[in-house]
Amino acid sequence: MVAPSPTPSPVLLAVGETMAMLAPSDGGGVVDAATFLVDAGGAESNVAAHAAALGMTARWASRLGRDALGDRVLRQVSARGVDTTGVVRDARHPTGLYIKDPGRGVRYYRAGSAASHLAPTDADSLALDDVDVLHVSGITAALSASARAFLDVAITRARAVGVAVSFDVNHRAALWPAAEAGAVLAALAARADVVFVGRDEAETLWATPTDGDVRALLPAVAELVVKDGDVGATVFESERRTFVPALRVEVLDAVGAGDAFAGGYLAARARGLDASARLAAGHERAALTLRTYGDSIHDTAALPTPHLDRTSA
């Protein structure tokens, strides 16, 4: 008797810029650090890495420079279990770089990067045949006019073939002001099936101080997830509202926690788990990242079991 073929795992395709990230390995300042961590950091590839660690088939597509930093980013993202065959190497434009200086913020060197030259032709090349979820973020819309056009075409193509669209608002004030970003990001969110947004960033962008106000702005989004820092997160589905408090953790570095939350949530969603379990999985994954100095983590942990004692993502 022939054994049945294993059921393929759901496929997530994440698209957007990933840069090389430099940070003091001891958590101190850049000026006095003796050693540094060189890692790959990008919102969309982070989500893919977390989803891969939780059992999804995860792919990442973007542009990287044909340079040493690009080689390193590609190797590191691949090592996290993410398929990078959709990444285009650009010989004319460099891989972006950002530097974390704990206590002093983050400095980006991404102007003119390879990913800022993403264009609609790149979106036309995305392989979507077996993809279940396309994950994108508002960062791409901020990189350049051509990258914004890329995002528009990618979403349009996904919706046309029945691929669910996951959108993380991810407003980056260093890239564009709220007055410019607000309308663009709201329009993109309205086209998605799953939307992730921080309550505070929503208030900055759209003058929506409560999660209910965010829902009123985006009433048609099938799954609207509003994160409220160390308070918790709420998902709105049709008329249903589900809140799960965050985990209590010692925070070493908050960068990347939102991506981890999205990866955990989407992996739980792919398994058909209910709203509370999806939010709990997001909090669990975010808590792991909050306890590290990098943007992502490198493990193959099983999908977490929801806990009752929470505060963090």
Side-chain angles (χ1 to χ4, degrees), residues 31-46:
V31 171
D32 298 317
T35 59
F36 289 83
L37 168 71
V38 183
D39 206 351
E44 297 84 4
S45 64
N46 285 347

Side-chain angles (χ1 to χ4, degrees), residues 94-256:
T95 301
L97 170 70
Y98 71 103
I99 299 174
K100 285 186 179 181
D101 195 1
R104 299 167 184 82
V106 177
R107 180 66 183 264
Y108 293 94
Y109 301 87
R110 74 196 311 173
S113 69
S116 72
H117 288 84
L118 284 165
T121 51
D122 294 299
D124 289 335
S125 301
L126 294 175
L128 297 173
D129 292 349
D130 62 343
V131 172
D132 296 284
V133 180
L134 172 71
H135 180 75
V136 295
S137 92
I139 296 171
T140 303
L143 295 179
S144 65
S146 68
R148 191 179 304 179
F150 159 85
L151 193 58
D152 178 67
V153 173
I155 292 173
T156 298
R157 284 197 60 217
R159 295 190 67 85
V161 297
V163 173
V165 176
S166 167
F167 177 69
D168 193 332
V169 171
N170 257 335
H171 174 233
R172 293 291 187 267
L175 292 176
W176 53 345
E180 178 186 356
V184 174
L185 295 174
L188 289 168
R191 298 173 63 194
D193 301 283
V194 182
V195 172
F196 300 95
V197 64
R199 188 205 56 76
D200 54 349
E201 79 176 331
E203 184 173 8
T204 298
L205 288 166
W206 306 317
T208 50
T210 71
D211 55 17
D213 294 328
V214 182
R215 183 51 164 174
L217 179 75
L218 299 168
V221 174
E223 293 178 48
L224 173 63
V225 182
V226 183
K227 302 171 293 177
D228 195 4
D230 60 3
V231 176
T234 300
V235 59
F236 292 91
E237 301 171 282
S238 186
E239 300 302 316
R240 295 189 302 276
R241 177 186 186 277
T242 305
F243 171 79
V244 174
L247 288 167
R248 285 191 291 270
V249 298
E250 178 186 1
V251 178
L252 296 181
D253 185 358
V255 176

